[in-house]
Amino acid sequence: MSRSTLLSLGGLALLAVLPALVRNPYVLHMLILCLLWTVLGQSWNLLGGYTGQVSFGHAAFFGIGAYTTGILVKSGLSPATAWWGLLLGGLAAAAASALIGWICFRLRGPYFALSVLALAEVLRLVALNWKQLTNGAEGILFIPAFNSKAAYYWIVLALAALSMAAIRFVMNGKLGFYFLAIREDQDCAESLGINATKYKLISLLISAFFTGVAGSFYMNYMGFIDPGIVFSIHDISVMMILVTMLGGVATTWGPAVGAAIYILMSEAFRTYLKSGHLVFFGVLIIVIIIFFPQGIVGTLNESLQRRKRRLAAPLASGPAKGAA
Amino acid sequence: MSLLELKGVTKRFGGLQAVGHMTFGVEKGEIFGLIGPNGAGKTTVFNVINGFYAPSEGEILFKGERIDGLKPYEICRRGLARTFQVVKPLARLTVLENVMVSAFSRTDHRHEARAMALEATAFTEMEAWRDRMAGSLPLGMRKRLEMARALATKPELLLLDENFAGLNPAEVEKTIAIVRKIHESGVTILIIEHNMRVIMTISQRLLCMCYGEKISEGTPQEVANNPSVIEAYLGAAHA
């Protein structure tokens, strides 16, 4: 096992015993949100960061996951929703993504980004108006299955670890190479034997699946959703992009770091700056874009590599002399 | 039966005919050169063969089967690879990773792809550059990366699009040696080249096109002495 795997497992074990030490439900709630946004950031990062297919409407998949769970519970079909039932939300989101991806990925450029944005808005309006199914603007309310926050903490921790491990695994194999190739140059990728439409679709399926699972978890944990919350452009779709960019696009740890910073900052701003919090949040984002254009993890990686190169320079002959 | 056969291939962009009634065959085991003045339509011929464009008219046969209308990735998997005149490195991947991407068209396993990429980079003498980001390579190495990547797809026919352009004399010699080595390993080559010294020495047969039409085909000597070829390059006064 490599050192980084051991470190990750150690960190995971540490996080797993945290509820035994932290009894404060508010702190646990913050941690749960950080982990939930880690899952969301990871999902967006796979498609937008690694595969280069930017989505402005991942709330569509989040909302589908949340409503799948909400509707199932309301109709009494799925008692164990907080556990394996999360899968159903993910599968429903993946199915919807297959449809939109199959249509849009034949085109290049901004079509996909814009169609998903439109999809999220269409779904919000449908959820608002199809009252028999979704209960409209009143939303769906049910009593969460577990009383303790610790149970939810462990579930979302497992989700975060699982999504990270899954994406890491995918990125290490053939799929990962293909995703990166498509991001870098689609023409080139196709001439090297890659069916770009197919592999973009696979990336979208995985991404939408985890987003749907996260939406499903959100419904279970909060016990309440309405169309404006789960299909929100600025609170879900755009925040998924920001969390990823904050932490570092196309990095393993970026989404987790971005999620932690985003949740803690926005909570602190909301508490201390009251109604002015959005202004400061905006300033923070501008600062990060100017000083950490690669995101926090991306910028750190880069400076680490530069240092390593500088240290190694006197020893290595370098390719400049190595070949003509 | 020729390895690659074009029968009356025409490609029009709206009213502009970029390639007209192109008919020729590339025999297995040869190096076939494609020359012509700038804008003659050479790269368009490649783009049609490789599947970026479907021909407006005509048929393309590879190993006796029609490939016109197939997608580039399908054509690549049948054993027809190409390089790009305007190089397309996957900039934020290393050289080795670039070549691994193309090796994955022949295997699903990472270690096998890696082994094939190591082989292809060694074949093109890029060992010292393997861990460099492709986006930071100098032009000569970018051109060579194009070849390594195409080779890793294990092609039977390789289309080389101006792999000598912009190289210094030492690099030109090196690249000639590599192209010969590729050829000797059993790969048939169709090459576009402006460097006349190079194309005259390495190709067995030549085709010269001008304004999208074939104006001459034959051995390098025949083509070079053809009056219409001289006219296309130097003007009527020299023909």
Side-chain angles (χ1 to χ4, degrees):
Chain A
M1 224 183 288
S2 74
R3 221 185 64 176
S4 67
T5 320
L6 278 177
L7 273 174
S8 311
L9 286 177
L12 186 61
L14 218 70
L15 283 172
V17 297
L18 212 58
L21 310 168
V22 180
R23 300 276 168 174
N24 185 337
Y26 175 69
V27 175
L28 267 184
H29 175 67
M30 285 297 110
L31 289 172
I32 289 171
L33 287 185
C34 286
L35 289 166
L36 176 68
W37 279 96
T38 301
V39 178
L40 291 172
Q42 290 286 351
S43 312
W44 192 90
N45 192 33
L46 177 69
L47 184 69
Y50 289 124
T51 320
Q53 308 302 311
V54 170
S55 156
F56 290 144
H58 254 48
F61 309 124
F62 185 80
I64 289 174
Y67 266 99
T68 305
T69 299
I71 292 165
L72 282 175
V73 170
K74 271 297 171 197
S75 55
L77 284 173
S78 181
T81 43
W83 289 100
W84 59 264
L86 296 178
L87 272 181
L88 298 176
L91 291 176
S97 79
L99 201 69
I100 191 90
W102 184 68
I103 297 169
C104 296
F105 276 150
R106 289 134 197 274
L107 304 167
R108 300 190 191 192
Y111 297 102
F112 171 73
L114 296 178
S115 332
V116 193
L117 178 66
L119 177 71
E121 275 303 276
V122 168
L123 288 173
R124 186 176 66 82
L125 292 172
V126 169
L128 210 53
N129 292 297
W130 193 352
K131 294 203 172 91
Q132 297 92 322
L133 187 71
T134 63
N135 211 19
E138 287 169 40
I140 293 178
L141 179 73
F142 63 69
I143 311 290
F146 305 110
N147 283 325
S148 88
K149 288 219 186 301
Y152 288 102
Y153 173 83
W154 281 316
I155 293 173
V156 77
L157 178 63
L159 284 181
L162 206 74
S163 66
M164 267 181 89
I167 288 169
R168 192 80 189 273
F169 175 76
V170 163
M171 289 312 298
N172 269 327
K174 177 174 178 169
L175 280 178
F177 277 81
Y178 275 17
F179 293 165
L180 293 176
I182 290 168
R183 176 189 75 187
E184 294 295 311
D185 191 320
Q186 190 172 327
D187 276 338
C188 174
E190 296 213 330
S191 74
L192 296 177
I194 299 172
N195 180 349
T197 309
K198 174 177 154 191
Y199 287 97
K200 283 193 283 188
L201 194 57
I202 294 175
S203 174
L204 172 64
L205 281 176
I206 302 171
S207 172
F209 174 79
F210 281 115
T211 309
V213 169
S216 192
F217 172 83
Y218 182 87
M219 171 80 253
N220 274 293
Y221 174 59
M222 302 302 260
F224 174 73
I225 55 166
D226 73 27
I229 296 174
V230 294
F231 288 117
S232 163
I233 292 176
H234 56 279
D235 284 341
I236 307 289
S237 294
V238 171
M239 277 308 164
M240 283 175 78
I241 304 175
L242 279 182
V243 160
T244 315
M245 290 190 53
L246 214 77
V249 173
T251 60
T252 308
W253 291 98
V257 171
I261 291 175
Y262 157 61
I263 293 292
L264 300 180
M265 284 283 186
S266 69
E267 197 63 19
F269 286 168
R270 219 189 321 257
T271 313
Y272 298 111
L273 302 169
K274 306 286 185 284
S275 57
H277 72 276
L278 281 179
V279 175
F280 286 84
F281 200 63
V283 170
L284 173 79
I285 287 164
I286 293 171
V287 166
I288 284 177
I289 287 173
I290 292 175
F291 294 103
F292 298 93
Q294 318 282 331
I296 291 161
V297 174
T299 309
L300 275 177
N301 275 347
E302 209 169 58
S303 63
L304 270 178
Q305 259 162 19
R306 209 174 301 138
R307 232 182 99 200
K308 218 191 290 175
R309 256 206 306 278
R310 222 180 21 241
L311 290 174
L315 299 170
S317 60
K321 287 182 222 158
Chain B
M1 184 185 73
S2 305
L3 183 64
L4 177 78
E5 246 185 301
L6 273 72
K7 292 183 184 167
V9 169
T10 297
K11 176 65 198 172
R12 277 183 228 98
F13 296 101
L16 177 80
Q17 181 167 304
V19 176
H21 317 291
M22 191 54 69
T23 299
F24 66 89
V26 178
E27 303 303 323
K28 194 167 174 51
E30 73 177 338
I31 299 184
F32 189 99
L34 191 56
I35 60 168
N38 290 325
K42 304 181 294 295
T43 296
T44 307
V45 169
F46 270 25
N47 283 339
V48 172
I49 296 174
N50 147 267
F52 277 147
Y53 306 138
S56 313
E57 278 166 34
E59 291 180 8
I60 302 170
L61 289 101
F62 180 57
K63 294 190 274 185
E65 288 170 38
R66 299 255 319 241
I67 57 165
D68 50 279
L70 292 185
K71 296 267 191 289
Y73 64 87
E74 293 169 317
I75 290 172
C76 168
R77 279 162 190 266
R78 287 180 181 222
L80 198 164
R82 76 169 290 182
T83 67
F84 290 96
Q85 176 186 11
V86 181
V87 289
K88 293 180 185 289
L90 306 172
R92 284 176 285 179
L93 273 62
T94 65
V95 165
L96 190 67
E97 286 166 345
N98 262 267
V99 185
M100 280 174 77
V101 165
S102 63
F104 273 119
S105 66
R106 295 286 172 240
T107 174
D108 289 335
H109 303 290
R110 190 189 166 113
H111 61 277
E112 282 175 19
R114 195 181 142 80
M116 286 157 76
L118 287 172
E119 194 189 320
T121 44
F123 200 87
T124 49
E125 297 173 40
M126 295 191 77
E127 291 99 330
W129 300 79
R130 277 172 185 152
D131 297 326
R132 278 278 286 266
M133 286 291 154
S136 73
L137 292 181
L139 180 74
M141 282 301 140
R142 288 180 186 221
K143 297 255 174 189
R144 216 180 281 178
L145 173 60
E146 289 280 326
M147 289 197 282
R149 235 171 26 187
L151 275 185
T153 67
K154 306 268 180 208
E156 286 176 56
L157 175 65
L158 179 59
L159 312 186
L160 296 174
D161 195 350
E162 294 205 25
N163 283 66
F164 294 86
L167 302 188
N168 65 39
E171 288 171 328
V172 167
E173 289 309 316
K174 183 114 253 170
T175 307
I176 291 178
I178 292 171
V179 170
R180 286 223 159 102
K181 214 160 70 169
I182 295 172
H183 180 234
E184 279 158 21
S185 75
V187 179
T188 307
I189 292 172
L190 173 58
I191 179 170
I192 294 177
E193 192 45 61
H194 271 305
N195 185 327
M196 284 303 148
R197 193 180 64 76
V198 169
I199 198 105
M200 290 293 171
T201 44
I202 66 173
S203 44
Q204 280 122 33
R205 282 198 302 143
L206 269 187
L207 186 152
C208 179
M209 53 189 295
C210 188
Y211 296 117
E213 309 265 351
K214 172 160 89 176
I215 57 175
S216 171
E217 186 183 351
T219 65
Q221 279 314 314
E222 287 165 8
V223 172
N225 296 325
N226 185 313
S228 53
V229 174
I230 297 171
E231 186 184 335
Y233 272 94
L234 302 173
H238 295 269

